[in-house]
Every structure is written in structure tokens, then in C-alpha cells.
């Protein structure tokens, strides 16, 4: 248990280090002003009610490819925008990178053992787009070693009676596609659709839960308006709206593709993971 807790604590620390060292002091002050947590205390509301979870409620844990995999250039993987971002000077404090991270690319069995020890019902992870398709497209053959890595992980999860939940995009756009504009270029919508279709064909008989995009608000705003995270673009809000529009289009096309081509046989689900903020009433009136 201590190993698993250490593993999760490390992931949280890595994520905080990456985020906090990308955000200027002025932005942190703004966040503190916006979220004054002492105003949200409600002892009656916050009491944890035991034995109230519905039948079928699932407990699990989640990661993303860049956070844990490492192996950033191993076995034919192409670079992502996060690889580019962390290798540029002054983007991350101390020059830290995710080049090795938790080395999950080489430690499938160790990760599965910790998940079993934790007793989770599902494990949500993301597939590195550029590990399967180094330039993000199907113009070249898929990276077989990347394919086999995810097969090995999924098979091990199923054998351990842990439900695999797969995220297709967790902020790590292939650098080759970012070079042509990323999701500002409608060609990328098509390339992402091809990538998703490829994953459905390859893993769909074993994976029943798919997430197209992780927290699109964070990716869009912090990457394309504030410029704090990759691809480190600072442009007016209209640009971010255009990116968000194309992401919604991509999600819709992929959802339709899955249910029209694979849904009947694979019997899976396709959704999106959103970031949300807590809001409380200002008054009882």
C-alpha cells in the first residue's frame, strides 16, 4: 500500500510542479483571489455519508501518458508538444522533464501489482498519440512496439479484473501536427478521427470505456490563451474559441464513428472528461 500511495503522491507532485512552475505569480494571486476556500465551509454538507454509494459505483485511479510513461523517445515514439515544452529552457523549474517520469513504459507488471494492492475497480490511462503514430498520421505504418505496449497493459488489467478506461487525448498533441497548427487546423480533426478509429479497431474488443478529450478547457485556455502550458500560445480569446470549436467537432465525429461502426459489436461508451469548478449559493433567497 505504501508503494502505491507513494506512486500516486509522486504523480500529484509532478503535476503540481509542472503547473505551478508554469504559472506566473500574478496568475497565482488571481487564483487565490477567486477561490477563497474558507468561504465554502459547510460541516453538514461535507459530512461523508457511509454506505450511500449506489450499486455498481466504481472506485479507480487515473493517470496520463506524459505523467507516467517516460520512454519519451524509445522504440520509435515521436515527440509530443510536452516533450518540446519541457526541453526548452526556462519552461520548467530546474529543467525537470517527463523523459523518464515513473518509467511505466518499462514497468507494466509493477504498476499492475500496485493497482491490485490498492484494490481499484478501474484504471484510467491515456494513449500517447505519438507513441502509436509518431507524426500523428497514418501516412506511415503504426509503431508496433507502441501498439504492443498498450496491448500488454490492457491485457494485464483485464487479467487483474481491473476495467481499462482509455483517454485518447490528454494534452500531448504530436509535435508534427502542432507544427501545422494543431487543432486550429481542421486537418488535425481528421487525423485525430483516424487515430481514434485506429484505437477502436486495435483495442476496442477489450476496452469498453473511451474518453476522447481530457479537460478541454485546460488544454485550450492554458495552452492557447494564457500560454502557460504547451503549445505555449498567447492569443486573443477568439483563437481559443476556434480551438474549442474544432475539439467539439472532433469529439462529435468520433462519437458518431464509434456508434455507427463499432458500437453494435463492441458495446462500449464514448464520452469526454471535463474540468469543473465548485460553486455555492451567495444567499438563501
Amino acid at each position: 500500500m505504501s508503494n502505491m500511495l507513494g506512486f500516486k503522491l509522486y504523480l500529484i507532485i509532478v503535476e503540481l510542479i509542472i503547473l505551478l512552475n508554469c504559472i506566473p505569480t500574478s496568475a497565482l494571486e488571481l487564483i487565490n483571489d477567486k477561490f477563497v476556500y474558507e468561504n465554502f465551509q459547510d460541516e453538514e454538507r461535507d459530512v461523508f455519508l457511509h454506505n450511500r454509494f449506489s450499486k455498481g459505483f466504481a472506485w479507480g485511479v487515473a493517470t496520463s501518458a506524459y505523467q507516467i510513461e517516460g520512454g519519451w523517445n524509445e522504440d520509435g515514439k515521436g515527440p509530443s508538444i510536452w516533450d518540446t515544452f519541457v526541453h526548452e529552457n526556462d519552461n520548467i523549474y530546474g529543467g525537470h522533464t517527463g523523459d523518464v517520469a515513473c518509467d511505466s513504459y518499462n514497468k507494466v507488471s509493477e504498476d499492475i501489482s500496485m493497482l491490485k494492492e490498492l484494490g481499484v475497480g478501474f484504471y484510467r490511462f491515456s494513449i500517447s498519440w505519438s507513441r502509436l503514430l509518431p507524426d500523428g498520421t497514418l501516412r506511415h505504418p503504426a509503431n508496433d512496439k507502441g501498439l504492443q505496449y498498450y496491448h500488454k497493459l490492457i491485457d494485464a488489467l483485464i487479467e487483474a479484473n481491473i476495467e481499462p478506461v482509455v483517454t485518447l487525448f490528454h494534452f500531448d498533441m504530436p509535435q508534427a501536427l502542432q507544427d501545422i497548427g494543431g487543432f486550429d487546423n481542421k486537418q488535425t480533426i481528421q487525423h485525430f478521427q483516424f487515430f481514434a478509429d485506429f484505437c477502436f479497431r486495435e483495442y476496442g474488443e477489450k476496452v469498453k470505456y473511451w474518453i476522447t478529450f481530457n479537460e478541454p478547457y485546460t488544454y485550450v485556455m492554458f495552452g492557447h490563451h494564457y500560454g502557460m502550458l504547451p503549445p505555449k500560445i498567447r492569443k486573443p480569446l477568439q483563437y481559443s474559441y476556434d480551438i474549442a470549436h474544432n475539439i467539439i467537432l472532433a469529439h462529435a465525429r468520433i462519437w458518431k464513428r464509434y456508434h455507427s461502426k463499432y458500437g453494435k459489436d463492441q458495446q462500449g461508451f464514448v464520452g469526454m472528461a471535463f474540468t469543473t469548478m465548485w460553486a455555492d449559493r451567495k444567499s438563501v433567497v
Side-chain angles (χ1 to χ4, degrees), residues 100-119:
V100 177
C102 300
D103 200 24
S104 288
Y105 182 65
N106 296 301
K107 295 184 176 180
V108 171
S109 60
E110 291 93 331
D111 285 355
I112 297 298
S113 294
M114 288 188 286
L115 290 168
K116 289 169 66 176
E117 186 177 358
L118 192 57

Side-chain angles (χ1 to χ4, degrees), residues 73-234:
N73 62 352
E74 287 188 39
D75 297 334
K77 177 186 174 295
S80 74
I81 57 174
W82 266 100
D83 295 315
T84 301
F85 182 78
V86 300
H87 291 151
E88 291 176 348
N89 292 333
D90 302 324
N91 280 336
I92 302 294
Y93 173 79
H96 297 291
T97 73
D99 290 359
V100 177
C102 300
D103 200 24
S104 288
Y105 182 65
N106 296 301
K107 295 184 176 180
V108 171
S109 60
E110 291 93 331
D111 285 355
I112 297 298
S113 294
M114 288 188 286
L115 290 168
K116 289 169 66 176
E117 186 177 358
L118 192 57
V120 299
F122 73 87
Y123 175 51
R124 177 190 161 196
F125 63 95
S126 73
I127 290 178
S128 168
W129 188 349
S130 61
R131 192 178 295 284
L132 293 191
L133 307 177
D135 68 353
T137 77
L138 289 171
R139 296 184 185 124
H140 308 287
N143 178 14
D144 185 65
K145 290 189 177 181
L147 282 172
Q148 296 311 313
Y149 164 68
Y150 292 113
H151 271 301
K152 182 179 179 180
L153 173 59
I154 292 168
D155 290 343
L157 287 169
I158 293 172
E159 184 177 354
N161 200 31
I162 299 171
E163 186 80 48
V165 179
V166 175
T167 305
L168 293 170
F169 185 81
H170 198 126
F171 304 168
D172 51 351
M173 171 76 67
Q175 185 60 53
L177 292 183
Q178 187 60 47
D179 290 343
I180 64 168
F183 275 114
D184 187 43
N185 187 333
K186 291 190 183 298
Q187 291 183 34
T188 301
I189 299 176
Q190 187 173 35
H191 289 310
F192 186 59
Q193 182 179 341
F194 291 157
F195 166 63
D197 189 87
F198 180 83
C199 289
F200 295 153
R201 288 199 314 271
E202 192 70 28
Y203 306 116
E205 293 300 322
K206 297 182 283 189
V207 174
K208 303 306 175 188
Y209 297 95
W210 297 92
I211 296 171
T212 52
F213 291 93
N214 175 75
E215 299 179 0
Y217 175 87
T218 303
Y219 171 71
V220 171
M221 293 299 293
F222 285 83
H224 302 81
H225 179 60
Y226 301 122
M228 298 171 182
L229 301 176
K232 202 179 178 182
I233 295 171
R234 293 183 178 90

